[in-house]
Amino acid sequence: GAGVSQSPSNKVTEKGKDVELRCDPISGHTALYWYRQRLGQGLEFLIYFQGNSAPDKSGLPSDRFSAERTGESVSTLTIQRTQQEDSAVYLCASSLGLFQETQYFGPGTRLLVL
Amino acid sequence: SQKIEQNSEALNIQEGKTATLTCNYTNYSPAYLQWYRQDPGRGPVFLLLIRENEKEKRKERLKVTFDTTLKQSLFHITASQPADSATYLCALDNTDKLIFGTGTRLQVFP
C-alpha cells in the first residue's frame, strides 16, 4: 500500500510519561502535517514540514510537544510528560506541495493518557 | 474572532434524497475551500476543492458551491446512499495553514 501509515495505532500511557508517535508519508510528498483531533471535535493543526524549510511549529500547544522529520520521509511527534488533556487522535497527512494540494491522511494514533 | 461553523447536529435523510451540508466562516478570506469525508476510526479523505473564483464544482454525485460574499460553502450529495453515511469536514486555507471545521455527521437511512 502506498498510503500514509502511522504507528502505533493505539497508545495507552500513564500521566507524566513520554510518548513518540510515528508517521510514514507517501513517497515523494514533500509536505507533512500533524493534527490533533479530540473526541467530537475538528482537526487542530499542530505542525507542518515542507521540504528542507524550517517547520511551522506555531500550532504546537506547549513546549511538551515537539516533532522532527528526516529529509522528506518519516516524522515523529513526541509528547513529553503527558497530561490527560493530551488524550486524542493524532493524525498525520502528506501532500505533494504545501496546502494547495490534496492532503492524504493516515489512520491516526489514538492516545489515551490515564 | 475567526470561526468555521458546521452544523453540529447530525443530518438524517432518506436514501435517494439530496443531502445538503453547510459550512460558514467569519473573518477569513480563503483562496480555496476543501471538503473531506471522515469515517469512524479513520483519517479524513479528500473529496473536492473549490477556489474563490469558482462558484460551483461537481464530481459524480457531489456538488460544492462557494459564495465568498455570504462566506458560505454548501456541499450536496444527490441520490444519497447509506454508504454516504459519514462525517463531512470543510477546511479552508488561512495564509499557510488549513483550518478545519468540526464536521457534520450525515446518516442516510434506507
Side-chain angles (χ1 to χ4, degrees):
Chain A
V4 177
S5 60
Q6 292 186 246
S7 62
S9 54
N10 292 281
K11 177 71 177 178
V12 181
T13 191
E14 293 179 349
K15 177 181 172 181
K17 301 281 189 185
D18 297 352
V19 295
E20 195 172 273
L21 313 179
R22 176 187 169 108
C23 173
D24 282 90
I26 293 173
S27 177
H29 281 193
T30 62
L32 185 148
Y33 321 84
W34 284 98
Y35 296 90
R36 178 169 69 179
Q37 187 173 32
R38 292 195 165 110
L39 189 64
Q41 301 294 312
L43 277 68
E44 176 187 358
F45 167 81
L46 297 178
I47 186 171
Y48 76 73
F49 299 86
Q50 167 61 28
N52 294 320
S53 302
D56 181 338
K57 305 179 181 180
S58 60
L60 295 178
S62 78
D63 59 8
R64 296 186 295 106
F65 288 71
S66 63
E68 292 184 350
R69 187 181 187 193
T70 307
E72 293 185 354
S73 61
V74 172
S75 175
T76 55
L77 176 69
T78 302
I79 309 174
Q80 296 178 308
R81 304 181 304 281
T82 52
Q83 304 293 313
Q84 289 181 330
E85 62 262 28
D86 298 334
S87 297
V89 175
Y90 290 82
L91 289 159
C92 173
S94 70
S95 70
L96 280 169
L98 183 59
F99 286 119
Q100 292 279 345
E101 306 290 338
T102 299
Q103 292 191 26
Y104 296 84
F105 283 83
T109 293
R110 283 148 197 79
L111 175 65
L112 177 60
V113 182
L114 300 176
Chain B
S1 63
Q2 294 177 314
K3 284 191 298 186
I4 303 176
E5 293 181 311
Q6 294 186 257
N7 195 339
S8 59
E9 292 183 12
L11 177 63
N12 298 306
I13 65 166
Q14 190 172 24
E15 182 176 12
K17 302 289 187 185
T18 296
T20 299
L21 286 72
T22 305
C23 177
N24 295 298
Y25 59 93
T26 54
N27 294 322
Y28 286 110
S29 297
Y32 61 87
L33 190 146
Q34 300 184 15
W35 283 88
Y36 287 78
R37 168 183 173 143
Q38 188 173 24
D39 291 281
R42 295 178 178 267
V45 174
F46 171 81
L47 296 175
L48 281 168
L49 180 152
I50 186 165
R51 302 190 186 280
E52 61 178 339
N53 60 347
E54 298 175 313
K55 290 275 193 273
E56 182 179 296
K57 204 96 174 262
R58 290 176 185 261
K59 179 183 176 183
E60 298 173 351
R61 294 185 296 111
L62 308 180
K63 185 179 85 170
V64 172
T65 63
F66 192 11
D67 190 325
T68 55
T69 301
L70 291 179
K71 296 187 182 297
Q72 179 182 80
S73 175
L74 298 179
F75 177 80
H76 307 271
I77 306 175
T78 58
S80 59
Q81 305 166 0
D84 295 327
S85 299
T87 296
Y88 292 85
L89 304 163
C90 69
L92 53 81
D93 72 298
N94 180 36
T95 314
D96 58 350
K97 295 180 180 58
L98 203 59
I99 310 297
F100 283 82
T102 55
T104 297
R105 190 164 63 85
L106 172 67
Q107 184 71 39
V108 181
F109 55 91

